Amino acid sequence: MKIGIVILNWNGLALLQRYLPSVVLYSQEHTVYVADNASTDTSLSWVKEQYPSVKIIAMDENRGYAGGYNVALRSVDEEIICLLNNDIEVTENWLAPITRLFKSDDTIAAAQPLLLDDKRRTHFEYAGAAGGYLDRLAYPYCRGRIFDQVEENHQQYSDSTQLDWASGAALFVKKNAFLEVGALDEAYFAHQEEIDLCWRLRHAGYKIAIATDATVYHLGGGTLAALNPRKTFYNFRNSLFNIVKNDHSANWLGILFLRLLKVIALWYES
C-alpha cells in the first residue's frame, strides 16, 4: 500500500528547511509532494535543488488549506494520501502502523498518528493529540487536550480507537472516499475542514481511526499564531458551518442557538 504524502506550503521556506528532511528520510518507500499555494519566497527553488525526488504541485494562487489540497490531491495517484502540515517532524517507521491500520479494516477512510508537541516533546500537541471528538454542542476536543489544557504523554492513549475526526495536521485519507464525499469544503478556507470532512465520511458509513504507535511532532502555529484574529474568526465561523452542514439530528437548531448564547455571554464578560 503506497502513500502519497502531500505537504501544503505557502511562503514556508524556513519550515521546509527544518521539517522536510525527516519526511524525506523516513518515507523513502512512498512519494513526497510539496503542493505550493503560490509562494513568493524561494520555497520551490530550494525544494527542487535540495530534494529533487520530491514532486512539486505548483498553484497559481493561494487557495488556502481546503482549496490547495483539493487541487493537489487530484494530481496524486496513490490510494492513501497524507495531508501533512509543513511544520511536522516525522519519526522512523511512522508509516508502517498507518498502512497496517488501513489494511485491518476496509471501512476505515481516514486516520491520524499520535501528535506530540515539537516545543515540549513530553506532551501532546493541541491540534490533534490522541484523536479528535465532538461534545454535545459540537465543540471539538481531543484525547490528551481539552480546550487549552494539554496532557503529558504517558502512553495512556495506546488503543487504536475510533474517532469523530482526525487532525488535519497529519491526516491520512483514502482518495476514493475523499472524492466520494465531495473533498474539502473550500468555503472554509482554513481551520476545521478536517472535522467537516470526517463528519461527512462518518455519515457515508466510514470509520475514522488513530494509529497510536505512529508518532509525529507538530510545531503548531506555523502559518497563523494561536491568537491571530483571522484564526479565531475561521475557527468560530467554521465550527458553526459544521453544525449546519452535518448535524442531522432534530436538535441542530437548538445547538446552534446555545452556541450563539455562549458567545454573547463571553462577549459581555469580557
Side-chain angles (χ1 to χ4, degrees), residues 110-122:
Q112 70 162 79
L114 203 68
L115 269 76
L116 299 181
D117 191 340
D118 189 45
K119 300 181 293 294
R120 191 169 54 156
R121 292 191 164 210
T122 57

Side-chain angles (χ1 to χ4, degrees), residues 195-207:
I195 297 176
D196 168 54
L197 175 67
C198 289
W199 208 333
R200 286 184 280 127
L201 286 169
R202 289 190 290 112
H203 279 316
Y206 293 107
K207 296 175 185 175

